[in-house]
Amino acid sequence: MDYLLLKYLHVIGAIIILGTGTGIAFFMLMAHRTKDAAFVARTAAVVVIADMIFTASAVVAQPITGYLLADMTGAPLWEGWLGAALLLYGVAGVFWLPVVWLQSRMRDIAQEAAAAQHELPPAYHRLYRIWFLFGIPGFGSVMAILWLMIARPGL
């Protein structure tokens, strides 16, 4: 495969991960702020689908394109900035996987509350707080990886 095409696909994957992460966080936060169970349920339903289609696809493609790029250029995987990026990718994954489950569960709880015409229950709010807190290291890791990809510091 052509190096520039591979690099392009890798950068597109990074953009998708960062973009969907930002969009999902924004839409979930804005829906949560309304305290409207039906709106939260609809938003979370779309967010879960977006995460499964876009984020999951990019999450799978990134290590593949990254490995192929490293192989093409002879870059050692576990050294320097690349090793740090891989470590951070693992951190992001450790926090992203539970977030996907949390979003699904928050959707289900909001749907139940909306169907019963109740307010969002304490269980939803507890999951939202965890979701929010997990987003910090998960999203922060992705931001750091992007910086490492651009700056390629000598570590």
Side-chain angles (χ1 to χ4, degrees), residues 9-71:
L9 293 174
H10 193 69
V11 169
I12 291 295
I15 290 167
I16 290 170
I17 291 171
L18 190 63
T20 55
T22 302
I24 284 168
F26 175 77
F27 289 118
M28 285 296 288
L29 174 64
M30 297 308 287
H32 172 79
R33 290 176 44 124
T34 70
K35 299 180 182 172
D36 178 342
F39 186 63
V40 169
R42 286 190 305 274
T43 302
V46 171
V47 158
V48 168
I49 292 168
D51 238 353
M52 290 297 101
I53 293 171
F54 300 109
T55 311
S57 298
V59 163
V60 169
Q62 282 305 96
I64 295 167
T65 57
Y67 173 79
L68 292 172
L69 284 167
D71 188 54

